[in-house]
């Protein structure tokens, strides 16, 4: 058990969001809205806004021991909660010559959206992770997907306590 919770389908997810938005759960509703904005920043390739959104999510869930890529992965999964409306999210997806940390595959109903491959780093180079995605051919994990991929690197710097993000597109 890894301590994560998944809502099984879109209908239940929508009802959950509907329920919390009509109750006095303003903090949860704000988190869902922040997640929506984070997804829009990703689609707009606004790397600074994505890094800021992930930092905000990290602050909200500070109960996690934030000391490795797995902790960062949990934060990313929670930060992109809203993305489940559009994507199936898969952690550690076998891809090319390794494993893509997180793949976001558009749902059939949202096939107009770009697929996303996210590589996570802990105290490493942001640019190096994008090169790793290309070198290890992580885009191959999305064999049936055709179109533009968003390649995303997210790094957490222990010294500065900041998240860094680099976003590029790749034609598949």
């Amino acid at each position: 058990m890894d301590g994560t919770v998944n809502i099984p389908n879109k209908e239940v997810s929508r009802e959950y969001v509907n329920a919390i938005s009509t109750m006095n759960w303003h903090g949860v509703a704000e988190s869902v809205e922040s997640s929506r904005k984070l997804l829009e920043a990703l689609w707009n390739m606004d790397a600074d806004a994505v890094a800021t959104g992930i930092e905000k999510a990290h602050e909200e869930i500070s109960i996690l021991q934030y000391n490795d890529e797995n902790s960062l992965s949990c934060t990313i999964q929670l930060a992109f909660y809203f993305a489940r409306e559009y994507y199936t999210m898969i952690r550690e997806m076998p891809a090319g010559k390794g494993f893509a940390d997180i793949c976001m595959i558009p749902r059939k109903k949202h096939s107009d959206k770009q697929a996303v491959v996210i590589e996570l780093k802990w105290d490493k180079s942001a640019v190096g992770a994008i090169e790793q995605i290309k070198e290890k051919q992580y885009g191959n994990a999305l064999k049936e997907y055709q179109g533009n991929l968003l390649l995303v690197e997210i790094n957490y710097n222990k010294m500065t306590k900041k998240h860094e993000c680099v976003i590029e597109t790749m034609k598949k």
Side-chain angles (χ1 to χ4, degrees), residues 28-148:
V28 176
E30 287 172 14
S31 292
V32 171
E33 179 61 14
S34 293
S35 181
R36 184 190 65 74
K37 288 179 180 176
L38 178 63
L39 183 59
E40 285 181 5
L42 177 67
W43 288 336
N44 292 327
M45 296 182 60
D46 185 344
D48 291 337
V50 170
T52 300
I54 291 167
E55 283 184 20
K56 183 177 180 190
H58 174 219
E59 290 168 8
E60 289 177 3
I61 55 170
S62 61
I63 56 169
L64 290 175
Q65 282 188 324
Y66 215 61
N67 56 10
D68 59 18
E69 279 185 31
N70 189 49
S71 302
L72 179 56
S73 180
C74 290
T75 298
I76 301 302
Q77 292 279 323
L78 290 169
F80 280 104
Y81 172 80
F82 192 82
R84 286 167 177 77
E85 174 74 20
Y86 300 92
Y87 295 98
T88 299
M89 295 180 70
I90 302 171
R91 283 180 67 181
E92 298 298 329
M93 185 170 184
K97 301 173 186 172
F99 293 86
D101 289 327
I102 300 172
C103 283
M104 296 169 59
I105 303 168
R107 296 184 184 278
K108 288 181 184 177
K109 186 177 177 181
H110 299 287
S111 59
D112 60 316
K113 301 297 181 198
Q114 294 174 300
V116 181
V117 177
I118 301 174
E119 180 64 21
L120 305 174
K121 291 296 176 192
W122 191 262
D123 240 8
K124 302 266 168 88
S125 162
V127 176
I130 291 288
E131 291 309 313
Q132 179 179 331
I133 291 171
K134 292 175 183 176
E135 186 179 294
K136 294 197 174 186
Q137 302 170 348
Y138 289 173
N140 291 348
L142 308 169
K143 291 176 189 142
E144 297 180 22
Y145 177 82
Q146 294 299 315
N148 286 328

